[in-house]
Amino acid sequence: MSDSRDTGMRPRRLRTNQRTVVWTAGLDSPEPRKLFETADLLLEAPNWSHDGSHLLLNGAGRMWRLDLQHPTELHEVPLTGVPQINNDHVLSPDGRTLYVSGMDGHLYSAPATGGEGTRLTSDDETLHFLHGISPDGATLAYVAIPRGTDGAVGRLALMPATGGASHTLDTGPGHIDGPEYGPDGTWIHLNSEAFTAAPGHAQICRLPAAGGPLRRLVASETVDWFPHLSPDGRHATYLAFPPGTLGHPEDLDVHVHLVATDNWAQPLHSYPLFGGQGTLNVNSWAPDSRRFAMVSYPLTGA
């Protein structure tokens, strides 16, 4: 049963004269390729399916499937026993299970093709925002934020993928977000505000999955969020907001950077988009590690 307390979270909607555009890009793509466009629904945060056939995106509090061979229409993934969901969702390594963050602040699991959901988190006075799953499928990584607090610092928490007790890892001062396991399970990659005194100046870093100090991966003037490693571990994407941005808001001119993981400081490609929130919240790499998906929200005439 869901916690009935109102968190204040609501599904995002397109503005007047705004549209959703889903793109793919990759190692051989200095320019992104438009995959799908709609003015009817604000879609966010693509996950690439395990078999490479489709994307999963959230919109209007629900989950949708977009066929990559025939990307002309969306098909809802029917989830029962699950409240409206936000843009923090992941797939199990075998592709069979979908883990989502409900707008009631709890985490749920359900079959990736649709079906009955199961709540995984307890009423621990915490909001839970899911971002990662270990390569063996056993552990979820999420951001824990105390309920009923304004401007509280997010902390990195781990819990069994079947539900149960969680524990936090020490990430030092500053808000963290986007914790995601690397493909070998050794590291958790995330963004943190621990490295500078500038308000909200998130930077990309990692820490040992077993716990340990944060290690900064790139120092930049931009505000950097949501590192996502390719399945082979050789490349990564992340989202760069303009300097001085607080949090990860919507409707800004941002860049999606594609980097080699042995040189985070020098992007291989950089894709300018009008977006931000919803563009790249979760891992969107294809299973072949060659391509990834992202979303923009242009306004008419933009």
Side-chain angles (χ1 to χ4, degrees), residues 72-139:
T72 57
E73 61 181 24
L74 296 165
H75 301 276
E76 185 177 354
V77 179
L79 302 177
T80 57
V82 176
Q84 291 186 317
I85 63 172
N86 67 16
N87 55 26
D88 300 320
H89 40 78
V90 302
L91 286 165
S92 62
D94 63 9
R96 297 178 180 178
T97 303
L98 175 66
Y99 297 92
V100 300
S101 301
M103 290 194 175
D104 61 353
H106 286 289
L107 305 186
Y108 295 79
S109 64
T113 54
E116 182 71 22
T118 300
R119 200 180 92 175
L120 303 175
T121 46
S122 61
D123 294 328
D124 57 2
E125 299 301 324
T126 299
L127 298 172
H128 311 79
F129 298 97
L130 179 63
H131 282 275
I133 186 167
S134 59
D136 61 6
T139 306

Side-chain angles (χ1 to χ4, degrees), residues 270-289:
S270 185
Y271 307 95
L273 297 171
F274 187 72
Q277 179 71 271
T279 292
L280 201 73
N281 290 60
V282 298
N283 193 304
S284 62
W285 280 94
D288 64 3
S289 295

Side-chain angles (χ1 to χ4, degrees), residues 160-222:
T162 54
S166 65
H167 68 279
T168 59
L169 296 184
D170 182 10
T171 53
H175 178 74
I176 66 96
D177 210 335
E180 184 176 296
Y181 282 89
D184 66 0
T186 302
W187 299 92
I188 294 176
H189 295 73
L190 66 159
N191 54 269
S192 172
E193 297 174 8
F195 298 103
T196 72
H201 193 78
Q203 297 281 271
I204 303 301
C205 57
R206 68 179 186 175
L207 78 162
L214 290 177
R215 302 185 186 183
R216 192 174 185 175
L217 294 171
V218 59
S220 73
E221 295 182 355
T222 54

